[in-house]
Amino acid sequence: MNDTLTLLMNHRSIRKFKDTPITEEQLHAIISAAQMASTSSNVQAYSVIAATDPGLKKQLAELAGNQAYVEQCPVFLVWCADLYRLKQVTSEPLQGRLTYGDTTENFIVATVDAALAAQNAAIAAESMGLGIVYIGGVRNRIAELSKLLGLPELVYPVFGMCVGVPDQEPGQRPRLPLESVLHLNGYSKEQSVESVKSYDAAMQAYLRERIGGKKDTPWSHLMADRMAEPIRMHMKEFLEGKGFMKR
């Protein structure tokens, strides 16, 4: 183990923050670290909206499912896949050539770029003693949120991220066994599934401790409930309307 591995292995989602503000220097360092993440073909197809205005954060919290910590955290970052910038700056050098910015592949590139940058930012923040939590709820009412932030065509919010000084010490949620996710020289269907049995038991124990025995549903049953729920069925129509995945 080294300091970096220790930091990574101690990650916890933080949902309660102190009133301590995030300085401009800290914010710039976090985003600068994000920019050093790997990016496909150096396209750097993402942008970040840093919401610090209390009124804006209140609106974002409402649109993200009334999650109070979105409003309470000192800085709320909205990570966006962004192909708009590329479209604008390449129009002149392209000189009318056929382009493929609206393909599904470029949608994937932009989404992955945003995710890689965000994870760099998360580690940078945690290295400063700050805490973070990702917020997928920005996609709940994605059209309204995009309008609120003035997001143009070919830009969509992938997720949000609360950043601030932690005001809680939550327990660490167990992850799937290594055997479930690490496959050597090819995918093992049996290995992927069998190791979940021990994880179900681990999650039951974690839940019993976290909420005082009120719930101990196995992970596989929680995932079954999630798979049976029609979550954010508006996404495909919204993304196509934004100019993504036309081909």
Side-chain angles (χ1 to χ4, degrees):
M1 293 292 285
N2 56 44
D3 290 347
T4 302
L5 286 172
T6 298
L7 180 68
L8 289 165
M9 298 299 285
N10 284 327
H11 168 73
R12 292 164 175 79
S13 292
I14 300 298
R15 294 178 174 83
K16 186 178 181 184
F17 301 92
K18 296 181 179 179
D19 293 334
T20 310
I22 301 298
T23 67
E24 184 177 275
E25 182 181 20
Q26 286 175 312
L27 178 59
H28 287 185
I30 289 168
I31 302 304
S32 293
Q35 288 188 271
M36 296 310 296
S38 297
T39 169
S40 179
S41 302
N42 201 34
V43 296
Q44 302 173 76
Y46 62 90
S47 291
V48 191
I49 311 295
T52 58
D53 178 76
L56 177 59
K57 286 190 295 176
K58 180 178 176 61
Q59 289 178 279
L60 291 170
E62 292 172 356
L63 293 173
N66 296 308
Q67 299 184 68
Y69 28 94
V70 173
E71 181 180 357
Q72 294 165 358
C73 69
V75 176
F76 183 63
L77 302 177
V78 181
W79 295 87
C80 302
D82 183 354
L83 294 174
Y84 172 82
R85 178 170 53 242
L86 282 174
K87 181 178 180 180
Q88 297 304 308
V89 302
T90 59
S91 60
E92 183 178 339
L94 277 167
Q95 297 181 344
R97 283 181 287 163
L98 183 65
T99 62
Y100 298 90
D102 60 359
T103 63
T104 299
E105 168 61 14
N106 279 319
F107 165 77
I108 294 172
V109 163
T111 303
V112 171
D113 265 14
L116 292 174
Q119 188 59 15
N120 256 30
I123 301 307
E126 291 178 345
S127 76
M128 300 176 191
L130 304 174
I132 70 100
V133 63
Y134 283 96
I135 305 294
V138 299
R139 302 190 302 275
N140 286 358
R141 295 162 64 182
I142 193 167
E144 293 171 76
L145 188 139
S146 296
K147 183 178 180 180
L148 176 65
L149 296 178
L151 304 185
E153 63 169 341
L154 293 173
V155 178
Y156 88 95
V158 184
F159 44 70
M161 179 189 289
C162 298
V163 184
V165 177
D167 194 24
Q168 62 177 179
E169 280 287 341
Q172 189 172 46
R173 188 178 307 214
R175 297 298 199 241
L176 283 164
L178 190 67
E179 295 77 19
S180 266
V181 298
L182 177 61
H183 302 260
L184 296 178
N185 304 313
Y187 192 95
S188 169
K189 292 186 286 187
E190 180 180 358
Q191 174 183 315
S192 180
V193 174
E194 284 301 310
S195 54
V196 170
K197 293 177 182 177
S198 63
Y199 185 60
D200 272 345
M203 277 298 295
Q204 286 181 289
Y206 166 78
L207 288 172
R208 282 194 294 268
E209 181 179 350
R210 181 181 178 183
I211 55 179
K214 296 178 182 178
K215 185 177 183 180
D216 65 350
T217 310
W219 178 79
S220 57
H221 291 217
L222 293 171
M223 293 303 103
D225 290 341
R226 191 183 190 284
M227 290 297 101
E229 184 179 355
I231 300 172
R232 300 178 190 132
M233 298 298 287
H234 55 271
M235 284 300 303
K236 186 174 187 292
E237 182 180 0
F238 170 81
L239 290 169
E240 289 177 344
K242 274 285 190 177
F244 292 102
M245 300 188 300
K246 293 296 180 75
R247 286 173 283 175

